Amino acid sequence: ILALGAEQKNTFCLGKGKQAILSQYIGDIKNLAAYEFMNEALDRFSQLFRFSPEAIACDLPTDYPSTRLAIKMSRKLGIPLFRIQHHHAHIASCMAEHRLDEPVIGISFDGTGYGNDGTIWGGEFLIAGLSDFTRYTYLDPVALPGGDAAVREPWKTAFSYLYKYFGSSFDYMSLQVFKQAGREKLELLAEMLDKNINSPLSSGAGRLFDAVSALLGLCTIETFDSEAPLRLESAINGNTDEYYPYSAGSPVVFREMFRSILNDIRSGNISIIPAKFHNTLAMVILEVTGQMSRDTSIKKVVLSGGCFQNKYLLERTCYLLRGKGFEVYTNNRVPSNDGGVSLGQVVIASKLLKQCV
């Protein structure tokens, strides 16, 4: 089985016999040089390991270069193609590391991944096996005005969250981040959101990090990938168990968290916000995992996705879950970010291929 991985932070993986052979880090294959390097590396791996695919696995979106290549190869070679949901592949990558082949509670937090419903996912609570999954709940989706532009400019995501929860009556100019943007830009964003113009929905946990980082003035415009979450984690100051209120339903709603963050900003209690925000996400995971376990009797929890490269979030989440008797599994041998997706694709495709035979 050949798995072509994700679009960003790309790796590919060869599944041969009982081996999974992961490529080196390739990068963002929207970049032509990276895409050509992926093809070159794939040719070399195929020669080195005497590998010829009998099935191909890839991500869902047809506009990804890897998906287009997978479709082309599948047709040319006349072999099965498995298009695999991104966050299911994240969970499966960790399951493969720990040799798990049973239903688990899978929590996949990252920035972007295409969902089965056509929206952008990234804050997912899944009941997952290797062959399939059910989406139990997810983080409250927010519209991203300008699509990818909102990812590169976190202040836009911050505005979108506040506009979603507090509407046009909120005094946006009372916050420094929006003063810098100017009233004209805010009115344009509000119109885009009202009319749903180029504003795709995203449940990505990464967008929450972006919004809070921007509200604190840590990163309003990114100069490198994931700058806003990195700066927010780096700003954690001191030890606290405090966290913000939230509503752990379907979806998980953060209206009261943002209200409380705004209160802390106005009162000048800014230094405590980064820790309380991270604690809130860990508490959300703990509470929703408890709900899932009560409904399914599953006690094994798998954490994967780029957000779990955040050391504070990962350690606190593991501590809380293990304190309640859960068995927690995390990526160790492959990256928890998109670099591990190709491994997940291989093991899912392997399971599906066996079911087809």
Side-chain angles (χ1 to χ4, degrees):
I1 299 168
L2 168 64
L4 292 177
E7 183 182 47
Q8 295 183 323
K9 305 171 185 71
N10 177 269
T11 63
F12 61 81
C13 187
L14 312 183
K16 184 177 181 182
K18 294 185 177 181
Q19 291 182 309
I21 305 161
L22 206 67
S23 76
Q24 71 272 57
Y25 174 83
I26 292 168
D28 186 348
I29 55 173
K30 285 199 302 284
N31 179 291
L32 180 59
Y35 178 72
E36 289 176 344
F37 178 69
M38 181 190 77
N39 280 277
E40 182 184 323
L42 181 55
D43 286 342
R44 289 183 177 175
F45 269 62
S46 297
Q47 292 172 22
L48 182 63
F49 295 104
R50 298 179 182 178
F51 176 85
S52 180
E54 296 171 5
I56 298 178
C58 63
D59 215 325
L60 291 178
T62 53
D63 60 342
Y64 282 7
S66 53
T67 305
R68 291 199 298 267
L69 177 60
I71 293 169
K72 181 180 174 183
M73 291 179 70
S74 171
R75 288 172 179 167
K76 181 180 177 181
L77 299 173
I79 58 178
L81 170 66
F82 298 98
R83 290 169 61 184
I84 292 163
Q85 201 281 321
H86 184 89
H87 301 96
H88 185 204
H90 270 307
I91 299 304
S93 74
C94 187
M95 293 176 69
E97 280 198 51
H98 298 281
R99 300 179 181 272
L100 297 175
D101 186 4
E102 62 190 276
V104 300
I105 294 171
I107 298 158
S108 184
F109 278 15
D110 63 4
T112 301
Y114 197 76
N116 288 354
D117 60 359
T119 66
I120 302 166
W121 290 8
E124 309 309 311
F125 294 87
L126 311 176
I127 306 295
L130 289 181
S131 58
D132 59 8
F133 73 94
T134 302
R135 193 188 195 196
Y136 183 91
T137 189
Y138 48 93
L139 304 186
D140 198 11
V142 66
L144 302 178
D148 284 346
V151 177
R152 294 188 296 270
E153 300 180 74
W155 72 268
K156 293 181 177 179
T157 306
F159 176 81
S160 188
Y161 269 111
L162 298 192
Y163 195 76
K164 173 188 177 76
Y165 289 138
F166 309 121
S168 56
S169 61
F170 183 82
D171 182 11
Y172 293 94
M173 300 308 285
S174 66
L175 295 172
Q176 184 60 35
V177 61
F178 300 131
K179 275 185 190 174
Q180 290 173 351
R183 195 178 298 276
E184 192 175 327
K185 284 185 179 178
L186 298 186
E187 289 172 355
L188 178 61
L189 289 189
E191 186 176 3
M192 291 176 70
L193 294 170
D194 288 337
K195 297 180 178 178
N196 192 26
I197 299 169
N198 190 22
S199 298
L201 286 175
S202 169
S203 64
R207 305 292 75 85
L208 272 176
F209 282 88
D210 288 350
V212 176
S213 187
L215 288 174
L216 297 183
L218 296 171
C219 180
T220 56
I221 298 176
E222 286 195 341
T223 59
F224 57 86
D225 183 47
S226 302
E227 180 180 1
L230 286 166
R231 291 196 182 280
L232 187 60
E233 183 188 8
S234 297
I236 294 172
N237 183 16
N239 244 342
T240 181
D241 291 328
E242 291 183 65
Y243 57 92
Y244 291 113
Y246 58 87
S247 175
S250 187
V252 180
V253 177
F254 293 97
R255 179 182 287 105
E256 295 309 312
M257 181 191 79
F258 277 105
R259 194 190 306 277
S260 299
I261 286 173
L262 292 171
N263 288 338
D264 277 346
I265 290 172
R266 292 186 185 113
S267 66
N269 195 21
I270 292 173
S271 63
I272 197 68
I273 294 174
K276 286 176 70 175
F277 167 73
H278 283 78
N279 292 350
T280 304
L281 282 186
M283 287 302 297
V284 166
I285 292 170
L286 178 66
E287 184 172 343
V288 176
T289 298
Q291 294 172 7
M292 296 170 79
S293 183
R294 286 191 292 275
D295 288 349
T296 63
S297 300
I298 298 171
K299 299 296 286 184
K300 292 183 177 179
V301 183
V302 171
L303 307 176
S304 191
C307 289
F308 290 111
Q309 290 184 307
N310 181 310
K311 185 172 182 286
Y312 184 97
L313 178 64
L314 179 64
E315 288 181 351
R316 187 163 190 88
T317 301
C318 289
Y319 171 77
L320 292 175
L321 289 171
R322 287 169 179 149
K324 293 295 183 180
F326 291 104
E327 293 179 53
V328 185
Y329 299 88
T330 63
N331 289 102
N332 296 307
R333 300 176 68 186
V334 302
S336 62
N337 70 9
D338 284 4
V341 161
S342 60
L343 173 62
Q345 291 173 346
V346 158
V347 294
I348 293 170
S350 173
K351 196 76 171 176
L352 294 174
L353 195 60
K354 286 173 185 172
Q355 292 177 357
C356 295
V357 174

